[in-house]
Amino acid sequence: PGAMPWKNRYIGNPTLTAILRFLFGAKVSDAHCGMRAFTKRAYEAMDLRTPGMEFASEMVIKAAKLGLSIAEVPIAFHPDRRDRTPHLRPWRDGFRHVKLMLLYSPTALFLVPGLGLLVIGLALLIAQLFAPIDQPLELFGLQLDFHWALLGSVLALVGYQIVTVHFFVRVYSVTHRLREEDRLLERGFRVLTLPRVLALATVVILAGVLLDGIVVVRWLRTDFGPLESGSTRLFILGSTLMALGVQTFFNAFFFSILGDAYKYDRPQLRR
């Protein structure tokens, strides 16, 4: 009694442990107990790198990823009777634990929400193409005008950017010894070579230019007068494709640079 503040005992530790269990399948009831024992071989295999309190989470995460045997035994936790300020800063150190776990699991932080936004955005854009020429699209009793195409464009662009960051983080995690070699990255660097991605980006950009060009021709034919909603929807889709293509074009060069670092600088975790 009195050994741990209530917010650490009932909020901090259970929450952080639950996140770690969910993301990495580590079957531990307290991921932040300070009493640890491990063999020299296990310590060398884990290759721990973090400089702060998140060291506790890193140890459990890497042990789980390496398939090391993990066991728990109960210990008595007594109040600290030393006259000094505690080292633990609950909010700062708690955030560092969460940040570390998300770096080890970029799929949960970036890929899932990014793909969700991208799919929803593209669905809204494509659905607007089936709307009547100058009337809103009726779907499940709702009237969706071209404003929904604008929303879809924003969601698609933001989602695509988040998905791109996901792969940046995966490369960073491997080259900085935060995680083991990544088969998805290896396959991606092998299949999605720089010339192929640049060619794909160019096709997407040209598709966007073509769609916007159609709208511009219509606009010229009206002597720069107002356009119907259908042309606005088409212009939004074309502009979105151009933006996605340009992002892909320049991201391809950056990924090519990261690919060289991944190929030559990635560590080999010992098991």
Side-chain angles (χ1 to χ4, degrees):
M4 184 184 296
W6 67 269
K7 61 180 180 295
N8 297 10
R9 182 175 182 179
Y10 297 109
I11 300 176
N13 264 23
T15 301
L16 294 174
T17 299
I19 295 174
L20 191 147
R21 287 170 59 96
F22 174 75
L23 293 178
F24 306 102
K27 298 180 180 180
V28 295
S29 62
D30 180 7
H32 303 286
C33 175
M35 182 69 70
R36 304 285 175 95
F38 40 82
T39 65
K40 178 182 178 181
R41 181 179 178 183
Y43 176 77
E44 291 176 343
M46 289 184 289
D47 192 25
L48 304 172
R49 295 279 167 172
T50 50
M53 292 288 187
E54 66 273 27
F55 177 87
S57 291
E58 183 190 14
M59 184 182 294
V60 179
I61 292 169
K62 284 192 171 178
K65 282 181 167 290
L66 292 170
L68 303 181
S69 176
I70 303 175
E72 289 183 312
V73 295
I75 65 170
F77 188 30
H78 298 283
D80 188 350
R81 300 188 183 281
R82 291 171 294 179
D83 186 19
R84 64 167 179 78
T85 303
H87 295 303
L88 180 66
R89 303 288 181 86
W91 294 107
R92 181 201 65 182
D93 293 323
F95 176 76
R96 292 178 66 162
H97 281 285
V98 173
K99 175 185 174 183
L100 176 74
M101 288 188 282
L102 293 176
L103 278 175
Y104 272 98
S105 184
T107 298
L109 176 61
F110 298 105
L111 187 60
V112 173
L115 279 179
L117 293 174
L118 179 60
V119 170
I120 294 173
L122 292 177
L124 289 174
L125 283 169
I126 295 173
Q128 284 293 312
L129 296 179
F130 296 94
I133 294 298
D134 204 18
Q135 297 179 12
L137 174 70
E138 291 192 10
L139 187 65
F140 303 114
L142 297 175
Q143 290 189 342
L144 309 179
D145 209 342
F146 68 88
H147 307 91
W148 288 85
L150 287 171
L151 175 61
S153 175
V154 172
L155 294 180
L157 292 173
V158 171
Y160 181 76
Q161 183 62 37
I162 295 174
V163 170
T164 303
V165 173
H166 160 258
F167 290 102
F168 291 155
V169 173
R170 289 181 83 114
V171 176
Y172 176 90
S173 298
V174 173
T175 55
H176 286 72
R177 300 175 181 268
L178 293 179
R179 55 185 289 150
E180 68 276 11
E181 293 179 281
D182 195 307
R183 293 181 180 179
L184 178 62
L185 285 179
E186 291 179 359
R187 190 178 301 112
F189 285 127
R190 185 171 60 253
V191 176
L192 298 175
T193 61
L194 180 60
R196 291 176 180 176
V197 177
L198 292 180
L200 175 62
T202 302
V203 170
V204 174
I205 293 172
L206 291 177
V209 171
L210 176 62
L211 294 178
D212 282 359
I214 293 173
V215 176
V216 171
V217 170
R218 292 178 181 176
W219 190 42
L220 292 174
R221 288 177 177 174
T222 63
D223 293 329
F224 305 104
L227 292 172
E228 69 278 0
S229 298
S231 295
T232 304
R233 298 184 183 102
L234 197 63
F235 186 82
I236 294 171
L237 176 60
S239 300
T240 304
L241 290 177
M242 283 195 293
L244 292 174
V246 171
Q247 281 185 289
T248 303
F249 190 91
F250 288 100
N251 283 339
F253 285 101
F254 189 38
F255 270 119
S256 180
I257 297 171
L258 293 178
D260 292 337
Y262 178 84
K263 182 178 180 180
Y264 298 112
D265 299 338
R266 70 180 185 272
Q268 301 288 335
L269 290 189
R270 294 160 289 184
R271 293 180 180 272

